Amino acid sequence: MEPILETNGLRVEYRVQNGQGPKVAVRDLNLAVYPGEVFGFLGPNGAGKTTTMNVLLGFVIATGGSARLFGVDVREPIARQRIGYLPELTYYYKFLTVEELLRFYARVFGLSRDEADRRIDGLLKLVELEHARKRPIKTYSKGMQQRVGLAQALINNPDLLILDEPTSGLDPLGRMKVREIIQRLKREGKTVFFSSHELGEVETVCDRVAIINEGELKVVGRVSELVESHQANLEQIFLSMIGYKPEPVV
């Protein structure tokens, strides 16, 4: 099976102001994500997760190596036509209703009126916002606004969904609802690639995970296999891979 998302020797360097040479944000990263997978991309703040996603989305040009979506170089616009994206921080015009927002994005993607109506109705049901479709987004809770973002990312019926911290700042109920949506998308055959700090949700929904630290891939594999091979839970594996050593209890 060919990967739907692939990086080979991906490297991203940034210039720094103090003249000490470039900062390496992503260091020779090799990843492969296959159709139908839910893939968790883990690492501490500053590990290079968002930078990697920005390369995949065409927002950042890699210094070296390659990145491909659906077998096409990410620098080609056609590579991004089949993806949906939810950034960590979303911002929408709060005076719009979710229905108005989704209709705007449907027009961006060139959907007909009838097709837009069908997709909007289906997405509002998926993200459980049918009851609030006529209310301004400014009246929504944080969890509801995050589900608006998921609906927006799905309006073009993408084959690959890229989510940057989709449950960031949500309460337990909000996180649970996002998890449920990801699981439904998996049942529909979608591929989901997402970063998260919530290791419990990662264990629940992910087929495989990768852990990076300081731009470097530390481990990749199925959660169950990693737990068995390291004789530790995912949190302990994560802390070990990023070099965290707890202070001894006195």
Side-chain angles (χ1 to χ4, degrees), residues 171-186:
D171 62 19
L173 179 60
R175 292 199 300 271
M176 182 190 71
K177 287 185 177 295
V178 172
R179 282 201 306 268
E180 289 174 349
I181 291 168
I182 292 173
Q183 288 170 328
R184 286 180 213 167
L185 294 172
K186 179 184 176 181

Side-chain angles (χ1 to χ4, degrees), residues 74-108:
V74 294
R75 292 172 294 184
E76 300 292 333
I78 192 173
R80 299 187 292 280
Q81 290 181 354
R82 296 164 59 191
I83 67 173
Y85 170 55
L86 177 66
E88 180 178 1
L89 299 175
T90 59
Y91 181 81
Y92 304 113
Y93 290 116
K94 302 297 179 68
F95 57 83
L96 294 176
T97 67
V98 63
E99 186 173 357
E100 291 170 335
L101 180 79
L102 293 178
R103 196 165 299 284
F104 167 77
Y105 280 101
R107 290 178 64 187
V108 169

Side-chain angles (χ1 to χ4, degrees), residues 141-168:
S141 67
K142 168 76 166 150
M144 292 171 72
Q145 291 185 29
Q146 198 74 342
R147 282 181 276 147
V148 169
L150 278 170
Q152 171 268 310
L154 289 164
I155 192 67
N156 60 324
N157 193 26
D159 295 307
L160 169 65
L161 199 60
I162 296 177
L163 311 176
D164 194 355
E165 299 288 351
T167 59
S168 176

